[in-house]
């Protein structure tokens, strides 16, 4: 009887490994490839340079559930702020992206933990494509995926776009295992991403959902 939990864990690990391998395999073999530098002509950006973008946001990490407003604004040509405040106006964090580095300007003390800050910073950096534009990438296609970008400095990070060059999915793998999947919903009329959902896998699971607030 004592062997059953160990057997269950072993089978679960094998199933997860098989699923992860299948998930990444369809991006590993391409029928066509060319190297490009990702620009706004290649992928529609998430962040507006002209005005702040506001999302109703929820963040689930470990046993914590946070909900409020995420404000994303580009304060100058090289600086972007990601600010999260609760419905009653309490600031939870303010991250600054500048010179290709994400720095925590302010973090509410109860969530001011190094590992949590690092995980949230990585999620928002990738969700908002802060580290994508200007990067070299391989534009690929195969029978399973019509077109996708494989970042050359991040071997297992793939950006999948539709025919109008808007991002619909981003998949990140670590050592062939699922690390983070991000789904996008784009409104062609307003030319904005109306919903972004990020799921981080692994021992520390994080779910972030952003729904745009139209003003």
């Amino acid at each position: 009887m004592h062997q059953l939990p160990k057997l269950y864990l072993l089978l679960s690990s094998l199933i997860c490994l098989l699923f992860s391998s299948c998930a990444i395999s369809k991006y590993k073999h391409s029928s066509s490839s060319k190297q490009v530098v990702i620009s706004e002509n290649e992928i529609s950006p998430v962040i507006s340079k002209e005005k702040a973008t506001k999302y109703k946001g929820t963040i689930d990490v470990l046993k914590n559930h946070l909900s409020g407003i995420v404000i994303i604004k580009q304060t100058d040509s090289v600086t972007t702020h990601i600010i999260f405040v609760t419905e009653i106006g309490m600031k939870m964090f303010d991250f600054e992206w500048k010179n290709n580095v994400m720095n925590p300007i302010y973090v509410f003390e109860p969530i001011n933990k190094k590992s949590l800050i690092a995980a949230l910073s990585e999620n928002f950096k990738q969700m908002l494509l802060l580290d994508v534009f200007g990067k070299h990438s391989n534009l690929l296609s195969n029978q399973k995926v019509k077109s996708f970008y494989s970042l050359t400095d991040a071997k297992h990070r793939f950006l999948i776009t539709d025919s109008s060059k808007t991002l619909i999915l981003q998949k990140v793998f670590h050592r062939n295992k699922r690390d983070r999947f991000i789904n996008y919903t784009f409104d062609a009329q307003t030319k904005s991403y109306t919903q972004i959902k990020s799921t981080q896998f692994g021992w520390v699971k994080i779910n972030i959902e952003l729904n745009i607030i139209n003003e």
Side-chain angles (χ1 to χ4, degrees):
M1 293 292 292
H2 295 290
Q3 297 298 321
L4 286 177
K6 292 183 179 179
L7 180 61
Y8 175 77
L9 289 173
L10 178 60
L11 288 173
S12 298
S13 299
L14 289 173
I15 291 171
C16 289
L17 180 61
L18 178 63
F19 180 81
S20 299
S21 299
C22 292
I24 194 174
S25 64
K26 67 179 182 179
Y27 299 104
K28 281 193 166 184
H29 304 287
S30 61
S31 56
S32 66
S33 173
K34 68 175 181 178
Q35 191 171 85
V36 298
V37 175
I38 298 181
S39 68
E40 295 182 7
N41 293 325
E42 300 287 338
I43 300 176
S44 298
V46 175
I47 296 173
S48 171
K49 296 179 180 179
E50 287 76 28
K51 62 179 182 178
T53 305
K54 295 181 180 179
Y55 289 93
K56 182 174 177 58
T58 58
I59 301 174
D60 291 290
V61 53
L62 300 176
K63 296 182 179 180
N64 300 306
H65 175 78
L66 306 174
S67 62
I69 306 297
V70 176
I71 304 165
I72 305 159
K73 58 181 179 181
Q74 188 166 344
T75 54
D76 59 45
S77 60
V78 295
T79 309
T80 300
H81 279 263
I82 301 101
I83 303 165
F84 183 78
V85 297
T86 65
E87 285 91 343
I88 60 173
M90 181 183 296
K91 185 186 291 186
M92 301 301 289
F93 61 74
D94 179 358
F95 295 153
E96 179 188 74
W97 173 260
K98 187 174 184 178
N99 298 324
N100 294 318
V101 176
M102 186 81 87
N103 290 309
I105 303 302
Y106 170 83
V107 181
F108 185 50
E109 188 56 37
I111 63 171
N112 193 1
K113 299 176 175 59
K114 187 175 181 180
S115 58
L116 179 57
I117 293 171
L120 288 173
S121 297
E122 190 69 10
N123 269 274
F124 277 99
K125 178 183 74 175
Q126 294 184 349
M127 290 171 70
L128 303 176
L129 306 182
L130 294 175
D131 60 337
V132 166
F133 295 105
K135 292 286 185 70
H136 289 274
S137 169
N138 291 316
L139 177 57
L140 310 168
S141 66
N142 58 37
Q143 291 181 343
K144 294 183 179 180
V145 186
K146 186 175 181 181
S147 67
F148 60 96
Y149 296 86
S150 174
L151 294 181
T152 55
D153 63 344
K155 187 175 181 181
H156 299 316
R157 185 177 175 192
F158 306 102
L159 311 177
I160 298 93
T161 58
D162 61 14
S163 57
S164 61
K165 296 186 178 181
T166 58
L167 193 60
I168 57 176
L169 184 62
Q170 184 174 173
K171 290 191 174 186
V172 184
F173 297 87
H174 178 64
R175 295 179 181 174
N176 289 350
K177 294 182 180 180
R178 296 180 303 166
D179 184 63
R180 184 175 297 110
F181 287 0
I182 307 171
N183 292 275
Y184 297 83
T185 301
F186 186 81
D187 187 323
Q189 186 172 3
T190 60
K191 295 183 179 180
S192 61
Y193 291 92
T194 56
Q195 185 183 73
I196 307 172
K197 297 174 72 173
S198 176
T199 301
Q200 176 176 306
F201 303 95
W203 291 108
V204 179
K205 295 177 174 60
I206 299 179
N207 291 287
I208 301 175
E209 181 173 331
L210 305 179
N211 290 282
I212 200 166
I213 298 173
N214 294 310
E215 296 180 325

